[in-house]
Amino acid sequence: MKATISQLEYIIALDTYRHFGKAAENCFITQPTLSMQINKLEDNLGVKIFDRSRQPVVPTDLGSLILEQARKVVNEAKKMEEIIEDQKLEVSGTLKIGVIPTIAPYLLPLFAKSFMNKYPSIHIQVQELLTDDTLAKIKSEAIDVGIVVGPLNDPALREIPIYYEKFLGYAHNTDLEPADTPISGEDLENNELWLLNEGHCFREQVLNICQNRNFDNILNYQSGSLEALKRMVDKQGGVTLLPELATLDLSAADSKKLRIFKKPTPFREVSLVMKRDFLKRRIIESLQKEIIDNLPEHMKQREENEIQVINWR
């Protein structure tokens, strides 16, 4: 029984995308070539790896076990390539990053340009994904690294904290007065509170701050973006919460709508996340350094009198 590394990569791609055309495109080969090579591998092994009678195509029970082993073999082969790359002076390669929506529009502009200028041989691909989708893609190796809120406490993943950001209230001028008085979760319950859609970890963090009390009093409007919630507050009144990075570029007028929390101040921990046996170590280390170098100094460490808001997962 013989299997080439390329054939193993082909079955992994088909398992990832569950579509022959997309898998072939990802492997930079034609669909007929992909089908032929997978058929050849199945013939050599004497088993069917995929059930082609179902749409989308899915692995057979035995195929799932073969795919699990194939990922280990391909991963070890890539490590040999990485050992060679680590001996070179130039940091190069492709880095696929997943970033959650409440981080991406505020963090990426801080470091993306300087990172690309410093490492022109690194090709970056960024996807904006919810936390669960990010973690699933990391585990299936569809992406290399995620930027998410932790701690995740997943034994299959490695987390590297990169910064800590506070939560701030953002209120219409007529709400949460006086403006210079710190707020608490109880204050949020007494006002119309604008929330992100279900599935966003930031929504769960906000509800955690409120301890989910008097949820029926929360206005039944939900959005997929923090900017949309901010505009609703501006036009309709009420309150929402913003992560600290989202407040750095506010206008002077909008900055006056921010409200700090009473101590202990709620905050979230943002981390780089990858598989424990992750590859591309030098590239990810370079990414980590570039992000940290471009952050406000006070966000690089936890401050006293802060309380971490944990995701409800």
Side-chain angles (χ1 to χ4, degrees):
M1 295 188 297
K2 294 183 179 180
T4 67
I5 296 297
S6 293
Q7 287 173 335
L8 298 181
E9 290 177 333
Y10 298 158
I11 63 172
I12 291 170
L14 183 55
D15 183 46
T16 299
Y17 295 99
R18 301 295 171 92
H19 186 278
F20 279 91
K22 292 180 180 178
E25 182 179 354
N26 183 262
C27 295
F28 303 102
I29 59 174
T30 65
Q31 184 172 331
T33 299
L34 180 85
S35 298
M36 180 186 68
Q37 287 297 323
I38 292 177
N39 287 334
K40 184 176 180 180
L41 175 60
E42 289 178 323
D43 290 342
N44 287 340
L45 297 179
V47 299
K48 287 295 181 184
I49 299 173
F50 293 99
D51 182 352
R52 294 165 175 78
S53 67
R54 298 173 61 181
Q55 293 296 326
V57 63
V58 295
T60 61
D61 290 342
L62 181 54
S64 294
L65 297 176
I66 293 172
L67 282 159
E68 182 180 348
Q69 188 62 34
R71 285 189 165 89
K72 294 178 181 178
V73 172
V74 170
N75 207 33
E76 290 301 319
K78 288 180 178 178
K79 283 183 180 178
M80 289 192 292
E81 298 174 4
E82 187 181 54
I83 290 171
I84 297 171
E85 290 296 325
D86 279 347
Q87 301 306 308
K88 298 179 181 179
L89 296 178
E90 184 180 49
V91 180
S92 61
T94 298
L95 184 65
K96 299 177 182 179
I97 308 172
V99 192
I100 62 174
T102 59
I103 292 177
Y106 313 110
L107 179 63
L108 291 176
L110 293 183
F111 76 89
K113 185 175 182 180
S114 61
F115 184 78
M116 290 186 291
N117 289 339
K118 190 174 294 185
Y119 303 102
S121 296
I122 297 178
H123 177 57
I124 302 177
Q125 299 176 11
V126 180
Q127 300 178 49
E128 194 170 293
L129 303 164
L130 296 181
T131 299
D132 287 343
D133 294 332
T134 300
L135 303 185
K137 283 180 176 283
I138 291 172
K139 291 178 179 179
S140 69
E141 300 180 5
I143 60 175
D144 300 305
V145 62
I147 303 179
V148 302
V149 173
L152 300 171
N153 299 318
D154 187 327
L157 301 174
R158 179 181 176 187
E159 300 178 57
I160 304 175
I162 48 177
Y163 69 91
Y164 307 87
E165 63 178 343
K166 299 174 184 176
F167 290 83
L168 292 97
Y170 184 83
H172 191 272
N173 291 333
T174 59
D175 295 292
L176 293 182
E177 298 289 359
D180 58 353
T181 302
I183 63 173
S184 67
E186 293 180 359
D187 295 319
L188 300 178
E189 298 169 17
N190 298 322
N191 291 271
E192 294 175 331
L193 180 62
W194 307 92
L195 290 172
L196 288 177
N197 292 336
E198 291 187 9
H200 290 265
C201 64
F202 192 82
R203 169 193 171 91
E204 310 306 328
Q205 293 152 14
V206 172
L207 294 178
N208 200 347
I209 291 171
C210 296
Q211 297 183 21
N212 206 20
R213 295 188 297 262
N214 297 331
F215 183 73
D216 290 340
N217 293 335
I218 294 177
L219 189 62
N220 190 22
Y221 172 87
Q222 299 169 17
S223 172
S225 81
L226 291 176
E227 293 303 312
L229 298 183
K230 177 178 168 293
R231 287 195 292 272
M232 291 300 294
V233 170
D234 293 338
K235 300 296 183 181
Q236 301 295 328
V239 183
T240 194
L241 293 193
L242 297 175
E244 190 174 359
L245 273 187
T247 69
L248 298 184
D249 293 327
L250 292 181
S251 66
D254 285 347
S255 293
K256 293 180 180 179
K257 301 174 185 176
L258 294 175
R259 304 289 188 270
I260 63 171
F261 274 86
K262 295 177 182 177
K263 297 185 182 301
T265 306
F267 78 97
R268 65 179 186 172
E269 175 184 284
V270 178
S271 300
L272 292 177
V273 180
M274 65 289 295
K275 292 182 69 175
R276 285 210 168 271
D277 56 349
F278 70 102
L279 303 175
K280 305 183 181 180
R281 293 175 184 271
R282 289 189 65 196
I283 298 180
I284 293 176
E285 287 171 359
S286 300
L287 174 69
Q288 176 189 355
K289 183 178 185 304
E290 195 66 23
I291 291 174
I292 292 174
D293 286 350
N294 284 279
L295 286 168
E297 195 64 34
H298 71 276
M299 297 180 69
K300 299 177 184 180
Q301 297 181 5
R302 283 185 55 177
E303 297 181 11
E304 295 182 1
N305 296 315
E306 292 185 337
I307 182 168
Q308 187 166 7
V309 180
I310 307 298
N311 296 340
W312 293 353
R313 300 183 58 79

